Amino acid sequence: MEPSPLEPVDESWENALVVVAHPDDVEFGTAAAIARWTDQGKTVVYCLVTSGEAGIDGMTPDEAREVRIGEQIASARVVGVDTVEFLGMPDGIVEYGLPLRRAITEVIRKHRPNIVITNNFRESWGGTFPNQSDHIAVGRGTLDAIRDAGNRWVFPEQLTDGVEPWGDVRQLWAAGSPDAAHGVDTTDTFDRGVESLKAHEAYLAGLGGSWANFDPVEFLEGVSRPAGTRLGVTFAAAFEVFSMSYGE
Ligand SMILES: [Zn+2]
């Protein structure tokens, strides 16, 4: 069966907020798209729900936390992102629920994005390989927080010191979703996406098992080329688009 074509995402926006579970989540396929948008003069802010402290088998969480925060900030800089927020929730055991929604809502009200981007939060990545629990919780929590942010009666304790509800998020984009029907051309910024992933040096060095010989270029080509083919370009990032306006 021929893969279905991707429709270009709407790029008529100024500010985006990226909410993901772990340092490295953006870099596994989306960072080149972020570079394209910051090159266009758009502002992109990253929000990391955890600090990825449980991500390196040979390093204790206390040690890994600082290393991974540093690597995430460095990888963000490569693609033109200067603001990186960390919510400090526990890596590997993020729970969907009100504390998660409340924390993401606060970030949305602070940065007032037009577009919010998260990771795929479907049950799988398309094949039989199951998605990870933190990704699913964070994606669902982000979707709900977009609504919460616009409702002044939800988490009203946040609305002090000039903080207002923010109900103008137009769309949520889930990167790498198996149900993606949209995409963006990342051909020109592909190399910066690779550099951004390589900035997770300690994390990549600590990968074991079937990931032990991981090659960032090979991996990113492997996900970006099929998406590019569907979009009619060399490389692309694919997104499932959720409209946040009823009826669209
Ligand atoms: Zn992750």
Side-chain angles (χ1 to χ4, degrees):
M1 200 177 80
E2 279 288 299
S4 54
L6 296 175
E7 194 181 315
V9 292
D10 177 5
E11 293 185 286
S12 63
W13 48 270
E14 300 299 325
N15 301 296
L17 172 68
V18 179
V19 185
V20 292
H22 313 115
D24 76 55
D25 284 353
V26 185
E27 289 70 36
F28 274 89
T30 315
I34 304 298
R36 171 187 170 98
W37 293 321
T38 58
D39 283 358
Q40 291 172 348
K42 303 182 194 312
T43 301
V44 180
V45 169
Y46 285 180
C47 171
L48 281 292
V49 171
T50 81
S51 303
E53 69 275 11
I56 304 178
D57 188 61
M59 206 183 272
T60 64
D62 278 346
E63 203 184 341
R65 182 179 294 109
E66 294 313 310
V67 169
R68 302 210 69 199
I69 287 173
E71 291 186 343
Q72 183 60 60
I73 291 169
S75 74
R77 291 269 151 75
V78 173
V79 294
V81 174
D82 297 325
T83 306
V84 185
E85 304 238 8
F86 292 86
L87 300 183
M89 293 199 171
D91 183 16
I93 50 173
V94 175
E95 286 184 300
Y96 172 83
L98 293 180
L100 179 67
R101 280 169 57 180
R102 182 182 289 114
I104 300 170
T105 296
E106 190 170 14
V107 177
I108 293 171
R109 286 172 169 168
K110 177 176 171 187
H111 292 288
R112 305 164 74 83
N114 316 120
I115 298 293
V116 175
I117 300 167
T118 189
N119 243 341
N120 169 33
F121 54 103
R122 298 289 182 190
E123 293 296 321
S124 81
W125 292 94
T128 54
F129 187 64
N131 200 349
Q132 199 263 356
S133 160
D134 290 354
H135 301 159
I136 297 171
V138 167
R140 288 195 53 213
T142 301
L143 179 68
D144 292 333
I146 291 170
R147 289 222 174 90
D148 299 336
N151 186 333
R152 72 173 60 256
W153 310 118
V154 176
F155 310 133
E157 70 281 3
Q158 295 176 355
L159 302 175
T160 56
D161 299 323
V163 176
E164 293 288 334
W166 180 253
D168 287 345
V169 176
R170 305 201 307 245
Q171 293 178 335
L172 171 68
W173 298 353
S177 166
D179 295 335
H182 290 77
V184 65
D185 184 353
T186 56
T187 310
D188 291 345
T189 51
F190 179 82
D191 292 344
R192 274 161 68 213
V194 171
E195 289 313 307
S196 189
L197 176 55
K198 282 182 177 172
H200 294 279
E201 213 179 326
Y203 174 72
L204 296 176
L207 289 174
S210 59
W211 292 81
N213 296 314
F214 178 78
D215 177 347
V217 177
E218 191 183 296
F219 176 87
L220 289 173
E221 281 188 2
V223 293
S224 307
R225 201 180 288 281
T229 302
R230 292 173 64 191
L231 191 63
V233 297
T234 304
F235 296 126
F239 298 92
E240 181 176 4
V241 172
F242 297 83
S243 175
M244 301 311 298
S245 313
Y246 181 76
E248 271 181 29

